[in-house]
Every structure is written in C-alpha cells, then in structure tokens.
Amino acid sequence: MYPWSSSSYSGQAPNGGQSRTMPNGLDDQEKLLAEAIGAARKQAFQMNHFLDKERMLDALKCASTMLSELRTSMLSPKSYYELYMAVTNELCHLELYLSEKSHKETDLYELVQYSHTIAPRLYLLITVGIVYIKNDSTLKRSILKDLVEMCRGVQHPLRGLFLRNYLLQCTRNILPDVLVAENEHEGNVYDAIDFVLTNFAEMNKLWVRMQHQGHSSEKTRREKEREELKILVGTNLVRLSQLESATLETYKRLILPGILEQVVSCRDAIAQEYLMECIIQVFPDEFHLQTLDPFLKSCAQLETGVNVKNIIISLIERLAAYNQRSGKTSGNAIDAIIPAEVELFEVFSVQVANIVQTRTDMPLEDTISLQVALLSLAQKVYADRVDYVDKVLGTTAQILDRMNMNNISHLLSVNQELSRLLRICIDFYNNALTIIQLSNFCPLLEKFDYTSRKSLALYLVMNILENETQVTTAEQADSLLTIITPLIKDDETNTTNNSTDAEEFAEEQGVVARFIHLLKSEEPDMQYKMLQTARKHLGNGGGQRLKHVLPPLVFAAYQLAFKYKAIAEQDENWDKKCQKIVQYCHSTISALAKADLPDLALRLYLQGALVIGEIRYTNHETVAYEFMTQAFSLYEDEISDSKAQLAAITLIMSTFEQMSCFGEENAEPLRTNCALAASKLLKKPDQCRGVVACAALFWSGKQNGEEMRDEKRTLDCLKKGARIASQCLDTGVQVQLYVELLNHYLFYFERGNSLITVAMLNQLIAKVNEELPNLEPSEETKQIESHYKNTLAHLRTRMESNDATLEVSFAGITLN
C-alpha cells in the first residue's frame, strides 16, 4: 500500500462514505456544496503546489483526496454537477503537467490503481490513461477498452454517470476514427464504436436505475432529477454521430442495432422516449432514410408510457424538412430528392399501421395525430400523389369504423385532430376540385357530428371563395354541394338543436350565395345542368335559407338566357333552351313565394319580365305577361303592409313602364290594373303618390314600341292626385304632397304636355305659399321647405334661361 493512498494520511476522513439521506432544503444543498467545493479547492491548491515542487506522490495524494469529494451521496444532481465541474477543471492541471513531463521511470497507470477508494482511483486512472494514449498511440486500443470496463466499478447511479461522462469527455478527441489503422494496436473506428456503445449501455443502465431507488412518494423528484441528467446519456449518441469514418453501412450494421437493443431492453419509458428522440436529432437524414424499418419496428416495442406519436411525428417532420431543404425547386413545387428505392410513404404507412395495431393502449387522438403526420409527409414529399393522401384518409376512416366511432362530438379532442386532418387537405391543395377527387374525404367527413361538418363545410367554401375556384361541370357541383350539405340543410337527426344566431346564420348563407356565382362553365348547356343540380340541393333548405340562396340561382339563369341569345346564330335550339330557363326561373321563384317571401318573389318576377322582354324569344309576350300577373297576384294576395304595398305597386309600374314587348291587348289591362291598385291604397298620401306615379305609364309607357305621350290621361292622373291630396286632413302631409305634385306637373310641363298650363302651376304654387307658413316648426317642416325652395330655384333658373332648345315657355309663372 502506497502511503498517499491512505485516508488517514490527510488527517481526515473523506465524506464520500456517508450514506445519509439527501437534504431537500435549498439552503442545505448550498451549504453542503460550498463545503465540498471549499475542501476540493484546498486540496487542488496543495496538488498544484506539489506539482510545482515536482513531488508527484504528494500531488497524487492531494488529487485523490480532492476527488473523494465526488463520493458524496448528499447532493442533488444540479449541485453535484457544479462540484464535478470544479473538481474536473482542477484535474486538467494534473493532466497538463503529466503530458509535459512524462515519467517513464514511474508506471503512473499502475500506481494510481492503488488508491483505496474506487471513484478517485478511476478518475485518476482516466486522467493518466489519456496522457499515456497521447504520448503513445499504440496503447490507445488497450487502454480505452481497459478504462470503459473498469468504470463498471462505480455502480452508484449519480456518481457512475458523471464518472463515465468524464471518460467520454476526455476521449472525445482521441477516439480512433479510421477504417484501417497503420498499427492495429491504435484501433479503428469499429473499436471507437464498441467503446462508445459500451459506455452508452452502462450509462443508460445507471440512469434507469435512478428511477427505482428510494420511496415511491419521491417518484416525481426522481423523474425531475433524471430529466436534468439525460443529456449525459445522450452525449454518447452525439459522439457516435461525430465519427467521420462511420459509414451508412456501419450505422446500419453496428451503431443503430446496438442503440436500439439497449433502448428496447431497458424497459423504461423516460429513457426510451428521450433516446429515440436523440437518434432522430443527432444522426444524418440520409442514415434515417435507409434505416426506417428497424427504427419504426422498435417504436412498436417501446413501453406503454412512451409517447410514440411524438417520436414518429418528429421523424416525419425531419425527413419532410430535409426534402424541402435539399430538393430542387421547379416553379412552385419542390422536386423530391428522396431516393427512388426508399418508398418513404409506404414504409411509414405500414409501420404506423403496425404500431397502431400493436399498441392498443394508444389514445385515439394520438392515432389520428399519426395519420395527420403521414398526411403531411405525403403532401410535402409527394405533392403530386393524391392517392397517398386519399389512402391516409381511408385508413383513418377504417380506424374509426373498427372502433364504431360515428357522429363524433365537436367537444371531443379526437374531433379536433380529425378536423385538422381535413383542414390540412383543404389548405394544401387550395383547390376544391382536387378535394372531391379524394374518394375517402366524404366518408370521413360523415363521421363528424352536424356542428363539425357544418364548420368544415364553411371552411371549404371560404377556401373556394378566397382562391376563386370555378366549378365547371355538373358532377363537380354535385360533389361540392353534397360536401357542404350541413350549410344548406338542417340536421334531420336532431331537429331541436338547429337554432343559431341570426346574424351568423345570414353570414353563412351569404357565403353559400357567393359560392353559387362560381358555378361557371364556358358551355351554356353545362351551365344549365349545374343550375339544375344546385336547385336540387338548395331547394330543401327551408324558407330562412331560400331567401339567401335561390335569388343567385335565378339571376345566374337570367344571365344564361342572355348568353343563349348572344349565340343564337350558332345554336338553332336557343329559343327552346331559353323557354326551359324561364320555366326553371318561374318554378324557383314560385318556391320563394310558397316559402312566405312575397316581396322577394315579386321583385324576381318583375326582373324576369324585363329579361324576357329583352330576349324576345318565341311566345315571349305571353310569358312576360304571366310574370307580370304573378307579381300582381302576390301584390294583391300576400302584401298587406301599406308601405310595402306602395313600394310594390311603384316597382310594378316602373317595370311595366320600361317594357316594350307588350301589344295593346296585354298592355291596357296592366295599365288599368296599376291605376286601379294605386287608387285602392289604404292611406290617402299613398293613394296620391301611387296615382301620380301612374301618370308615367300614359306618358313614357310603351305602345307598339313607342312612348304613348297620352296628354289627357297623364293630366287626369295628376288631377286625381291633387284631388286626393286636398282630402288629407294633416296640413303638413298635404303641403308635402302639393310640393311633390308641383314637381310632377313641372316634369310633364317641361316635356311638352300642352294640357298643363302656367295657370295650373301658379295655382299649386299659391296653394303651397298659403299653407306652408302655417306649419309648426319641426324636422319634417324643414324638409318640406327645403324641397320647395329647391323647386322654386329650378323654376327661377328656367325662367331666367335664354336656352332656345326649351320646348315650353315659363313666362307668367308667379313665384311669390
């Protein structure tokens, strides 16, 4: 026994032999750490002093005593790391001294092995062994093997981990990294791999053992400590990845099998999850591409508590990123650089299916997350392979079928993952026409509850609108309208829960209405088929929806009729096709009328009458008359509100006034009915305005294609309006009507109605001048006064004008 190896030599016992429980308090830890570092620095000072004096035995004794501080069991991993760093930094001085002054007369490698405690002995052995290797590379192979085996002497998890980490750090620059060495004793890359794998296996065992020491109540603390120490184990894998002579073949044959064997056999969830993640991150992507099968098969053998989903997703994302990073860009797409022999998607698809089947404990949302990752891989690496995406959707649907999952609630987490799966498809292609090529998209969509299907349908329609995707065939329209059925039809299975916010509902239906305008085809016949298809889908949505979605169909049909008119010379059947379109519009508008939407139906009938009058196909006059009579019927039978009646009859009259397609046989009944309807309005002011509006029918209304200019009947309407105005008891309303009448009289007077005289105008002006000052001040009175002043200003301008083109003379009009 050498005298420096005795613990009694320093006059004190090292604290490493103590096995008391680790103090939990932060203050206690800081105190113990400070004491240990203080003692270590004291011995380090003595060691350096003896080295300066070249007293090797005394220096080694001090180094041994300093290293004895690392034998403690009372420090937490964090505190132990600080002590370890302080001690190993001081060891560098010893290594430097030994490197500079080689003691050939003394076998230090044997000498340090006589230290009476194992931990200091091994630290010194590593330090001296490294010096020996640097001085004589022929010793490399034997010393490395000796060191990695002798470190088995420390089996305490914490102390053993840091000891082996010291070994790994010291050897990082001297590991043999050549395939064939000049001297076999120097070793080659296979010796380096064996060295690191052995060290890795032992470190992993120590790390896992930490989990099973102590009381079960301290499990959380132990897991936290293990989390702090995991990088020590992972460093072994980093070192393996840094071996430049390690080829792909070496990785496949030695490195990966050695790592995976240790990972699977340790049967510890924390270690397995971390180490699998390490493998993904530290080794090159090219290696991963060639070793997918063994890696993924190992994933299926991991412990129950391992989150396999995250491991596989991490690998998929890395390989997809590698493809995008290294692939050649052609236009907007990226050409895959994955070797053709590596069927990346197929391998992942098979292995993921195997994992899902093997790990029956895996939550359903994790299973779906794996499918999301597979989908992402297919899109990023094989952007043109729609069949791969469809296969993922089909597999997902099969998984749900096996679990009998239907009508999946929007409140479940699995619903969120499934929604993400379908939204990724929509976002990636940005083309709804590609989505409908996915045969498994709709079956998977049917697995959701109504709320989720509605949300996804809205998401798809918004994507269509943003990208202005035009639907050009009836088949495409049918497929898309089937997908968005929840937007255009209530949930039949749950009639009690179809209520929604009115504003939100209107916004949704507005989106559907905008979508209808994207049903466009260059071929008119195909356009008509699409409109029929849309009508079939949209017609059963109920009155609340019909008012939003049917009008766009009607206007699209009117546009189509004009298109047929434009190509009349090329299509001899355009006439019959226009008749079909008009019948289509008539039935669609009738559906609106039956859904208690008379105002909307009336407007569409009138618009249809105008369109028919312009297209002038065979029998157009009869059909236009039918549209006008339908509008009248709605006015008479369905519209009861007085304001709505006035607006409706005014609209009917203004529409009829523009139409020139009617012969006198049809035109006269329409004029008569307009006048009659106006005179039957309930309120006198409404009667007055309605009757006066009728004057236009006899003046600018068409007869045989020309304006009628019937002076007498025009004046009769104006006089009747004045008579009705005089019957109003409310003076303010009466004056307002007189001002409006004055404007109408002036309108026809300026356009040459010879029956309207200056005396009539003066009479109206005098009447207004007489009554207006008597009105009580109010906002309405201000408006009447403003209107009247503007009228007089117009008259004054006309009277002062020298324009020779004026048809009438304004002389004799008295303004005041």
Side-chain angles (χ1 to χ4, degrees):
M1 178 70 69
Y2 289 89
W4 60 265
S5 67
S6 173
S7 62
S8 61
Y9 188 90
S10 62
Q12 62 181 20
N15 62 4
Q18 301 175 35
S19 58
R20 298 197 302 271
T21 305
M22 183 190 302
N24 291 323
L26 186 61
D27 293 339
D28 292 338
Q29 283 290 310
E30 290 178 353
K31 182 179 178 182
L32 288 169
L33 177 61
E35 290 176 356
I37 290 178
R41 285 176 178 167
K42 180 179 177 181
Q43 293 301 319
F45 177 80
Q46 292 292 332
M47 178 188 73
N48 290 324
H49 174 72
F50 288 132
L51 288 176
D52 291 341
K53 300 289 186 180
E54 297 191 2
R55 294 168 58 180
M56 179 55 63
L57 290 179
D58 291 332
L60 290 174
K61 181 272 298 183
C62 291
S64 178
T65 307
M66 174 183 71
L67 288 164
S68 293
E69 296 297 331
L70 292 174
R71 296 173 59 217
T72 181
S73 303
M74 302 179 68
L75 293 177
S76 66
K78 184 177 179 181
S79 299
Y80 191 90
Y81 170 74
E82 293 184 36
L83 175 61
Y84 164 82
M85 290 302 296
V87 172
T88 53
N89 283 340
E90 297 297 341
L91 272 184
C92 292
H93 299 298
L94 176 61
E95 182 186 341
L96 184 61
Y97 175 84
L98 294 175
S99 299
E100 293 175 350
K101 299 184 178 182
S102 177
H103 290 256
K104 294 183 179 179
E105 70 281 359
T106 308
D107 188 355
L108 291 177
Y109 191 71
E110 182 181 350
L111 180 65
V112 295
Q113 294 187 45
Y114 286 97
S115 176
H116 81 291
T117 49
I118 187 71
R121 181 194 312 158
L122 292 174
Y123 274 101
L124 288 172
L125 193 64
I126 293 168
T127 305
V128 174
I130 298 305
V131 174
Y132 271 45
I133 291 173
K134 289 180 179 178
N135 290 335
D136 184 0
S137 59
T138 60
L139 300 172
K140 185 182 292 186
R141 185 176 184 181
S142 59
I143 290 180
L144 287 176
K145 188 171 184 180
D146 192 32
L147 291 177
V148 78
E149 291 296 333
M150 291 189 71
C151 284
R152 295 179 192 270
V154 177
Q155 289 297 312
H156 184 278
L158 188 61
R159 295 199 290 268
L161 278 171
F162 278 95
L163 172 65
R164 287 190 173 275
N165 182 67
Y166 180 67
L167 172 63
L168 197 62
Q169 295 300 325
C170 289
T171 57
R172 66 181 179 277
N173 296 322
I174 63 171
L175 289 175
D177 196 6
V178 291
L179 287 174
V180 180
E182 294 180 2
N183 186 323
E184 65 173 347
H185 296 294
E186 292 182 2
N188 53 34
V189 70
Y190 300 112
D191 294 310
I193 292 171
D194 183 61
F195 170 83
V196 179
L197 283 177
T198 302
N199 195 58
F200 162 69
E202 294 300 322
M203 287 186 77
N204 190 46
K205 290 174 185 176
L206 293 170
W207 187 45
V208 171
R209 195 181 301 156
M210 290 184 68
Q211 187 70 27
H212 308 290
Q213 290 188 336
H215 198 271
S216 58
S217 62
E218 298 178 338
K219 179 182 177 183
T220 304
R221 179 178 64 81
R222 288 198 300 274
E223 289 179 353
K224 182 181 178 183
E225 290 176 352
R226 289 189 65 196
E227 188 69 22
E228 294 171 350
L229 295 170
K230 67 182 182 182
I231 193 172
L232 301 181
V233 185
T235 306
N236 289 277
L237 304 189
V238 175
R239 198 69 68 240
L240 284 169
S241 70
Q242 292 171 341
L243 295 173
E244 295 180 359
S245 299
T247 62
L248 172 59
E249 186 59 32
T250 308
Y251 178 75
K252 291 169 67 174
R253 185 168 56 87
L254 296 175
I255 297 177
L256 185 61
I259 297 172
L260 292 179
E261 180 185 2
Q262 178 59 36
V263 171
V264 173
S265 63
C266 76
R267 305 183 66 82
D268 179 79
I270 296 175
Q272 289 179 338
E273 187 165 340
Y274 169 68
L275 293 174
M276 296 296 272
E277 186 67 35
C278 273
I279 294 172
I280 294 170
Q281 298 303 328
V282 302
F283 290 105
D285 300 305
E286 294 82 357
F287 286 12
H288 292 316
L289 287 172
Q290 301 294 338
T291 55
L292 287 174
D293 266 331
F295 183 87
L296 294 173
K297 284 178 181 176
S298 297
C299 288
Q301 301 172 31
L302 300 180
E303 291 298 296
T304 305
V306 178
N307 193 332
V308 178
K309 173 198 73 171
N310 289 348
I311 296 171
I312 295 176
I313 290 175
S314 178
L315 180 58
I316 288 176
E317 289 178 349
R318 170 149 187 174
L319 294 179
Y322 165 69
N323 182 71
Q324 290 185 310
R325 184 174 62 250
S326 307
K328 296 178 181 178
T329 304
S330 57
N332 294 326
I334 296 177
D335 295 335
I337 63 161
I338 306 296
E341 67 272 13
V342 180
E343 297 179 345
L344 193 60
F345 178 81
E346 292 296 340
V347 172
F348 269 108
S349 182
V350 170
Q351 294 299 338
V352 165
N354 181 43
I355 290 169
V356 170
Q357 189 172 359
T358 305
R359 301 181 67 87
T360 55
D361 60 297
M362 183 181 289
L364 181 57
E365 51 266 32
D366 284 3
T367 303
I368 303 303
S369 294
L370 287 177
Q371 300 304 315
V372 172
L374 264 181
L375 181 73
S376 179
L377 175 71
Q379 291 174 340
K380 291 177 180 177
V381 180
Y382 305 99
D384 57 335
R385 294 294 299 268
V386 179
D387 57 317
Y388 281 172
V389 174
D390 201 30
K391 183 177 180 180
V392 174
L393 298 181
T395 302
T396 308
Q398 290 172 10
I399 292 170
L400 297 176
D401 284 336
R402 284 200 302 268
M403 301 185 68
N404 198 27
M405 292 285 288
N406 291 296
N407 199 32
I408 301 171
S409 171
H410 60 282
L411 302 175
L412 298 177
S413 57
V414 66
N415 183 293
Q416 297 173 7
E417 287 298 318
L418 283 168
S419 296
R420 190 158 70 97
L421 188 71
L422 297 185
R423 287 172 192 259
I424 287 174
C425 293
I426 296 170
D427 291 336
F428 178 77
Y429 292 115
N430 277 333
N431 188 337
L433 303 184
T434 306
I435 296 299
I436 60 178
Q437 293 176 25
L438 302 172
S439 58
N440 290 300
F441 188 91
C442 285
L444 189 57
L445 184 64
E446 290 301 316
K447 299 292 182 183
F448 291 85
D449 65 355
Y450 177 79
T451 302
S452 302
R453 282 186 283 120
K454 183 178 176 182
S455 174
L456 286 165
L458 184 62
Y459 192 81
L460 177 61
V461 176
M462 291 302 296
N463 183 273
I464 293 172
L465 297 178
E466 287 171 10
N467 294 284
E468 297 183 354
T469 306
Q470 290 196 4
V471 183
T472 57
T473 69
E475 291 76 14
Q476 293 172 351
D478 185 59
S479 298
L480 286 172
L481 288 166
T482 300
I483 291 175
I484 67 168
T485 296
L487 276 178
I488 57 182
K489 194 175 180 182
D490 285 336
D491 184 12
E492 295 179 351
T493 61
N494 186 9
T495 55
T496 60
N497 195 29
N498 286 322
S499 60
T500 185
D501 179 68
E503 186 175 340
E504 180 183 339
F505 178 81
E507 187 175 344
E508 289 173 358
Q509 298 309 305
V511 168
V512 176
R514 289 168 59 198
F515 163 67
I516 292 169
H517 291 294
L518 290 173
L519 303 178
K520 292 182 180 179
S521 175
E522 295 298 324
E523 300 177 10
D525 292 350
M526 180 57 71
Q527 178 74 16
Y528 180 63
K529 287 181 180 178
M530 284 198 292
L531 293 179
Q532 285 183 311
T533 301
R535 175 71 176 82
K536 181 177 67 176
H537 282 276
L538 300 171
N540 300 319
Q544 293 301 313
R545 284 188 174 85
L546 293 184
K547 67 180 179 182
H548 294 284
V549 298
L550 290 192
L553 283 180
V554 174
F555 279 99
Y558 289 157
Q559 290 174 350
L560 181 58
F562 280 114
K563 187 181 288 187
Y564 275 119
K565 171 71 173 177
I567 62 169
E569 294 181 1
Q570 290 87 22
D571 189 346
E572 60 182 17
N573 294 319
W574 76 274
D575 190 281
K576 293 180 180 178
K577 292 176 181 178
C578 283
Q579 291 184 40
K580 281 190 175 182
I581 292 172
V582 171
Q583 290 173 358
Y584 170 89
C585 294
H586 190 278
S587 64
T588 304
I589 300 171
S590 297
L592 288 169
K594 291 175 183 176
D596 294 329
L597 298 167
D599 292 333
L600 183 56
L602 181 142
R603 290 172 180 272
L604 291 175
Y605 274 130
L606 295 176
Q607 185 66 43
L610 285 172
V611 170
I612 295 164
E614 290 187 42
I615 294 177
R616 294 180 180 268
Y617 63 90
T618 304
N619 203 32
H620 69 280
E621 182 181 350
T622 304
V623 179
Y625 186 81
E626 171 66 19
F627 271 63
M628 290 297 294
T629 55
Q630 288 292 336
F632 260 115
S633 298
L634 287 172
Y635 166 78
E636 292 172 351
D637 300 337
E638 304 294 340
I639 300 176
S640 56
D641 180 74
S642 56
K643 286 185 179 180
Q645 283 183 330
L646 176 60
I649 195 61
T650 304
L651 196 60
I652 291 172
M653 287 189 288
S654 61
T655 302
F656 177 58
E657 185 263 342
Q658 297 177 60
M659 298 182 68
S660 59
C661 65
F662 292 118
E664 193 59 23
E665 180 183 354
N666 289 322
E668 185 57 31
L670 290 174
R671 289 193 209 100
T672 305
N673 272 282
C674 285
L676 185 61
S679 64
K680 287 185 176 181
L681 289 170
L682 179 63
K683 296 180 179 179
K684 291 295 183 181
D686 293 344
Q687 279 185 28
C688 175
R689 293 185 175 103
V691 169
V692 170
C694 279
L697 299 180
F698 300 103
W699 183 259
S700 54
K702 309 301 184 292
Q703 187 176 45
N704 299 321
E706 301 291 334
E707 291 188 357
M708 289 184 65
R709 298 279 175 159
D710 189 332
E711 295 183 347
K712 181 179 182 304
R713 296 179 76 176
T714 301
L715 181 59
D716 288 344
C717 289
L718 296 178
K719 284 183 176 180
K720 187 173 182 179
R723 191 163 55 251
I724 295 172
S726 67
Q727 297 172 6
C728 293
L729 298 180
D730 189 324
T731 308
V733 174
Q734 190 180 63
V735 174
Q736 184 178 2
L737 291 173
Y738 281 140
V739 174
E740 292 175 13
L741 275 166
L742 175 59
N743 278 271
H744 282 284
Y745 269 92
L746 278 172
F747 175 83
Y748 293 109
F749 177 73
E750 289 182 17
R751 279 155 184 75
N753 189 330
S754 59
L755 297 182
I756 299 175
T757 62
V758 170
M760 293 178 184
L761 298 177
N762 285 334
Q763 187 178 358
L764 276 172
I765 292 171
K767 189 70 173 174
V768 174
N769 287 340
E770 179 185 346
E771 298 293 344
L772 189 57
N774 300 328
L775 298 181
E776 295 181 1
S778 67
E779 191 63 33
E780 291 181 359
T781 302
K782 287 181 182 179
Q783 292 178 2
I784 296 171
E785 289 175 347
S786 176
H787 190 186
Y788 183 54
K789 285 178 182 178
N790 291 337
T791 304
L792 294 182
H794 170 75
L795 273 172
R796 195 172 287 111
T797 302
R798 290 296 194 198
M799 292 169 67
E800 296 171 357
S801 173
N802 296 321
D803 188 354
T805 60
L806 291 176
E807 297 181 9
V808 293
S809 171
F810 287 83
I813 295 180
T814 305
L815 299 182
N816 295 322

